[in-house]
Amino acid sequence: MTTDKDTTLFGNGDELPSNHSDNPHINDLIEGISRRQVIGGGMAMGMLAFLGVTMPGAGLAGQANGLLKRPGRLPFAPVAVTRADTVTVPEGFQARAFIPWGTPICGSYPAYREDGTNSAQDQAEQTGMHHDGMHYFPIDAQNGKGHNSEHGLLVLNHEYIDAPLLHPNGPTVVDGKRMVPEEVRKEINAHGVSVVEIHRNLNSEWEVVGNSKFGRRITAATPMEIQGPARGHALLSTRYSPEGTATRGTQNNCANGFTPWGTYLTCEENWAGYFASKDSEKPRELSRYGVGSNSRYAWETLEGDEFQRFDATRKAGMASGDYRNEPNHFGWIVEIDPFDPQSVPVKHTALGRFAHEGVIFAPTQPGKPVVCYSGDDSRNEYVYKYVSRDKFRPGHPDNGRLLDEGTLYVARFNADGTGDWLPLDIQNPAFLAACTAKGISFADQGDVLINTRTAADTVGATRMDRPEWGAVHPETGEVYFTLTNNTNRTEADAANPRTNNAYGHIIRWKEENQDHSGTRFGWNIFLLGGPQSDSRGPDGEALTADNIHASPDGLWFDPEGRLWIQTDMSGSQLSSGPFGNNQMLVADPESGEVKRFLVGPIGCEVTGITATPDFRTLFVNIQHPGEGSTPSNLLSTWPDGPGKRPRAATVVITRDGWRKVL
Ligand code: FEO
Ligand code: CA
Ligand code: CA
């Protein structure tokens, strides 16, 4: 989703900042450390050595290239900045649009209609709008194994909608109220997740498999189960599920994850804007997340339970008589088994409730806990880690339960380049002491998790610059995270060294003793985005024409340890200035080299990336091309061409001669 927009009706925006805690920014913690020391790795690296942690590239700043290992791992000529209405990739590569919004994938396979007249039911059997996080599961990958690079399931998120383009002539709204239930049902069905069975045909082109037994749409109305410590909690009681164990739908699914046991994880990011509460006093589980008195799409203004559930106003004597707690069913990570179209998706409450951008697993070993990381993408929010209580057993049918019992931690980035994972655990004495000191109480662990942000405030976690995607280096285990931007920052600091940080940066850390389940780490900054005049690449030098960018968002390591970076610039950064359209770059952490690999069409965001196991096909998503378009004013016509509505789509990237992508 684009940045820094408002959340007014039909706005596409991220939520407004809602962290009003007095937790220190990291800048409050590091007086006495110069910016140069921090970003160049001086003192931070000293502390990393103390921890027994060696960061790759830690000593690269200012060093000669002669010290670098494995040069030439980016064998392509970088793409220039452009505002062309197309996908541009380097010479020798092909990029082809695939499964754009409205592609039939299941059921009766209803054909896409260019004029917006597809029905709500059609939409429930077609790919949704605004492709985002995505993963390729080889068709032989049940239980996490599999190598098939020519036949698989492509599973992808549909983050939000452009209502003006979804309908023939936009939504029907009178005095702020929705008038047509069919329109809203179509909007609900354009959200969620698609499971698409695909294969390479005889012409070596990827295509959707017809009559697939796997093809499936999960929407903002699909029945789901709630698991983990908050299951059955009083704060989850609704008219639909008085016992607080079930819910309907997932929405604003931004980035994703995938488990070591072969399931897909979709993450609920800016869900708060889908709800409205007219109550003058809102409980912390609404107010701390930014639920307001008006919703983005006004779904709750229609009669009927399917729409009224988006109205969180107290109306009945008890929570089981209304939907005051419906927003508490969102902000979770949802597990989907793509190989079982009858499976009920599961919301795993142990992983916390916030604006989950994505989730990334540390390398998993049999007999060890599973560990995953997730960022809360809002200004001044936090980075989290989850460690399962039980151990991973490959092939065990109940591995999904590993996400239901464990410890959720939040990160504190110390001024000296070390970091601590602080447990949000009502059994933990330090957590209880912090609660007592702050005068904050939680009834039980379910209450802690439903109010994850408040719990993180309580322990003094470090407020960060909008944590987005994470990626774990496949060889070294370092964890990289994008901090996309934070134009609200007024003081520079170590982890966020620029005020009015419009350009964003990438931070990385390494767990002490390489133990991802531990509680200590060392960190430094990998890259500062921006123009040549205000940036720093991994080599310690300013970025160049080959790699200037802003607002890093999507992040992914390929199997050989190259870091792919996708951008989500918006507003003036897109319309003017040096960066052109949103783009995707590749960085080699070993050499410090960064090159621009792809530039997307006008108005789009580049987000979502996955590959076949043989790395001969790379799938990348293009979201909201021509953002702000209406049927009578098309700002982009990608991918269908002149006169056609722009459509989010996956891009299939291959190389001449069907060689590995890189
Ligand atoms: Fe949906 Fe944080 O991007
Ligand atoms: Ca973003
Ligand atoms: Ca994003």
Side-chain angles (χ1 to χ4, degrees), residues 366-432:
K368 301 272 187 170
V370 296
V371 178
C372 53
Y373 301 89
S374 185
D376 185 353
D377 179 13
S378 198
R379 296 184 193 94
N380 308 317
E381 294 296 345
Y382 308 118
V383 172
Y384 296 84
K385 168 168 99 169
Y386 173 81
V387 180
S388 69
R389 180 193 66 185
D390 295 330
K391 311 293 189 285
F392 174 57
R393 289 177 287 174
H396 195 278
D398 288 336
N399 272 326
R401 300 309 301 265
L402 292 172
L403 302 182
D404 292 330
E405 294 285 353
T407 304
L408 185 67
Y409 298 88
V410 66
R412 182 175 63 204
F413 292 80
N414 299 318
D416 61 2
T418 66
D420 296 288
W421 292 108
L422 310 172
L424 307 179
D425 177 359
I426 203 160
Q427 309 266 349
N428 183 282
F431 180 72
L432 288 173

Side-chain angles (χ1 to χ4, degrees), residues 105-152:
I105 61 164
C106 60
S108 62
Y109 290 78
Y112 169 71
R113 292 196 207 128
E114 157 63 25
D115 59 4
T117 56
N118 279 114
S119 68
Q121 180 58 37
D122 291 346
Q123 180 61 85
E125 299 173 351
Q126 300 170 329
T127 48
M129 264 190 154
H130 288 1
H131 302 23
D132 208 315
M134 170 173 58
H135 188 69
Y136 174 86
F137 293 88
I139 200 69
D140 54 346
Q142 294 187 53
N143 294 321
K145 297 187 174 71
H147 305 283
N148 196 318
S149 292
E150 312 219 332
H151 185 190

